[in-house]
Amino acid sequence: MPVQFSAPLMDAKHFPPSLIKAQPAFTLAGSSLWRYPLPVNYVGTFSRARYALAAAALHLKHSAQQNTVLLPAYHCPALVEPFIYAGYNIVFYPQLADLSTDIATFSHLLTPQVTHVVVVRYFGFSQNADELIQTAFAANKAVIEDNAHSLAHFWQTCATKPSAISASVSSIAKTLGTADGGVLYLPGYKADTQVAAGFTTELKALRSGNRPITGSADADLRYFRAGMQTADCLRASRWLMLRSNYAAISRQRRDNYQYLAQQLQYSSAGQVLYPTLTEHDVPYVLPFLLHDIYGFTRLRQQQIQVLRWEELATTATGIASHYQQHLVQLPVHQALSKQQLQNIIKALG
């Protein structure tokens, strides 16, 4: 049965322009002319992480049988649409309150019909992702690791080359604030068809902070543009990817997260989903579970660009359905000032 997505709950045009952004603005601050030693073997670049995911789906696809992928029930369309585009049958697996997955339930869904599994490290946290990866690998499934929220962990996968992971994807833009950029780790993959952007596209992206999108969405797809599948990331995005100080960025994100989490410990508006960080966590955002669904509107009206995954597959129930309205993503990126963090705290009472 074709996947259908629920309609967005809100429209950004109904709110005033955001003064506190969800992602850092494009800047060369913190980068260096010196290129950091990154494990770039078997790494391809794309305009967005969704196209890296589609490339993995197409490359790992079996030609002699129906391909079925197991995807998490809590998601955004950018995770699902690449597999629709690649012609996969899609089955969803549920999440628990901390976005981990019950291993018995997960194992039960690893039927002979399932050929591929996607495991997401939500918001830069790993939940029980490693256990899911090993379980799927033991069941002889091709495992794709979604590191869209953690470029730092993506580089770790590239360096360690774990045998259980067939491919890993991440977003350059979500960590570094570039105008575009997705990366794919996939041994044996050669992105010979990637087309570099022209000078005009590069210039427009630098001026606006976002890469211009060409082509219309395919039928039944809201955000996936088949015409962008062969588009390489911008030169400026690749430059920052290779020359950014990831250690400094990670430290600042962790500091911002810990400060915000501590200050929101007794918030009347809701609760921090992960009150503490492990030594390996590099947060993309701070997931905050609202008591009141109208808290999202109040935050946006105060010009804070909080995010929320509203467009789930219509089969979503349980935690995924609840989080669709109640789980918001608060900014913690490295460009935030202490005053902006204070404004977020104030807005959440």
Side-chain angles (χ1 to χ4, degrees):
M1 184 174 68
V3 176
Q4 300 293 324
F5 296 100
S6 56
L9 301 175
M10 298 288 180
D11 192 319
K13 68 183 180 183
H14 296 154
F15 303 110
S18 298
L19 297 178
I20 300 176
K21 300 291 188 179
Q23 294 177 193
F26 175 82
T27 177
L28 295 177
S31 61
S32 170
L33 291 176
W34 180 70
R35 176 170 167 171
Y36 286 86
L38 296 172
V40 293
N41 291 334
Y42 306 123
V43 172
T45 51
F46 298 79
S47 63
R48 295 286 178 190
R50 70 196 65 171
Y51 302 110
L53 200 54
L58 291 169
H59 185 83
L60 296 171
K61 191 175 182 181
H62 301 299
S63 59
Q65 67 182 101
Q66 172 65 52
N67 291 263
T68 297
V69 63
L70 205 55
L71 296 177
Y74 184 60
H75 54 253
C76 68
L79 175 71
V80 182
E81 289 190 337
F83 292 95
I84 298 175
Y85 168 76
Y88 279 63
N89 181 43
I90 294 171
V91 177
F92 295 104
Y93 63 92
Q95 282 65 61
L96 301 172
D98 64 351
L99 295 177
S100 65
T101 294
D102 177 73
I103 205 69
T105 301
F106 183 76
S107 299
H108 181 72
L109 290 170
L110 295 173
T111 64
Q113 289 73 35
V114 170
T115 53
H116 301 70
V117 174
V118 174
V119 176
V120 175
R121 297 185 188 272
Y122 287 102
F123 311 128
F125 297 82
S126 287
Q127 296 83 32
N128 64 336
D130 293 323
E131 186 179 13
L132 298 180
I133 288 168
Q134 291 300 326
T135 301
F137 177 67
N140 201 30
K141 313 302 180 185
V143 178
I144 301 174
E145 178 188 49
D146 187 327
N147 266 319
H149 294 163
S150 182
L151 192 53
H153 200 284
F154 172 82
W155 291 124
Q156 180 182 331
T157 293
C158 294
T160 57
K161 300 178 177 61
S163 58
I165 294 176
S166 298
S168 181
V169 302
S170 190
S171 167
I172 304 171
K174 282 181 168 60
T175 294
L176 303 180
T178 52
D180 81 336
V183 279
L184 167 67
Y185 164 75
L186 179 55
Y189 176 77
K190 291 185 178 180
D192 296 330
T193 59
Q194 296 306 97
V195 179
F199 175 77
T200 302
T201 298
E202 293 267 357
L203 187 60
K204 286 182 177 178
L206 287 174
R207 284 177 173 174
S208 67
N210 281 294
R211 180 182 183 139
I213 301 298
T214 58
S216 57
D218 291 21
D220 301 323
L221 300 178
R222 294 186 184 182
Y223 304 107
F224 194 94
R225 306 288 193 271
M228 295 295 294
Q229 183 60 42
T230 57
D232 205 345
C233 73
L234 301 171
R235 294 170 184 84
S237 300
R238 184 182 292 103
W239 197 93
L240 271 185
M241 179 187 77
L242 295 173
R243 292 170 172 83
S244 290
N245 187 334
Y246 291 98
I249 290 170
S250 297
R251 280 196 302 271
Q252 191 59 60
R253 283 180 175 265
R254 285 174 60 86
D255 288 348
N256 289 347
Y257 187 99
Q258 289 170 322
Y259 177 76
L260 206 56
Q262 183 179 28
Q263 296 297 314
L264 293 175
Q265 184 177 3
Y266 302 108
S267 170
S268 60
Q271 64 189 66
V272 178
L273 192 63
Y274 306 117
T276 59
L277 296 173
T278 72
E279 60 179 317
H280 305 294
D281 298 329
V282 180
Y284 162 53
V285 292
L286 185 149
F288 190 81
L289 192 58
L290 295 168
H291 295 321
D292 178 354
I293 61 172
Y294 300 107
F296 178 85
T297 300
R298 288 193 290 270
L299 286 165
R300 292 303 299 261
Q301 287 174 340
Q302 294 185 65
Q303 299 181 279
I304 301 170
Q305 189 185 27
V306 290
L307 305 177
R308 182 172 64 177
W309 287 350
E310 301 177 350
E311 301 169 80
L312 302 181
T314 52
T315 54
T317 58
I319 289 296
S321 180
H322 180 66
Y323 283 6
Q324 182 180 25
Q325 295 192 70
H326 291 84
L327 189 63
V328 297
Q329 304 168 30
L330 304 179
V332 295
H333 60 76
Q334 62 272 21
L336 292 174
S337 67
K338 187 57 67 75
Q339 183 59 57
Q340 287 175 319
L341 291 171
Q342 289 287 355
N343 290 345
I344 295 172
I345 294 163
K346 183 179 179 181
L348 287 166

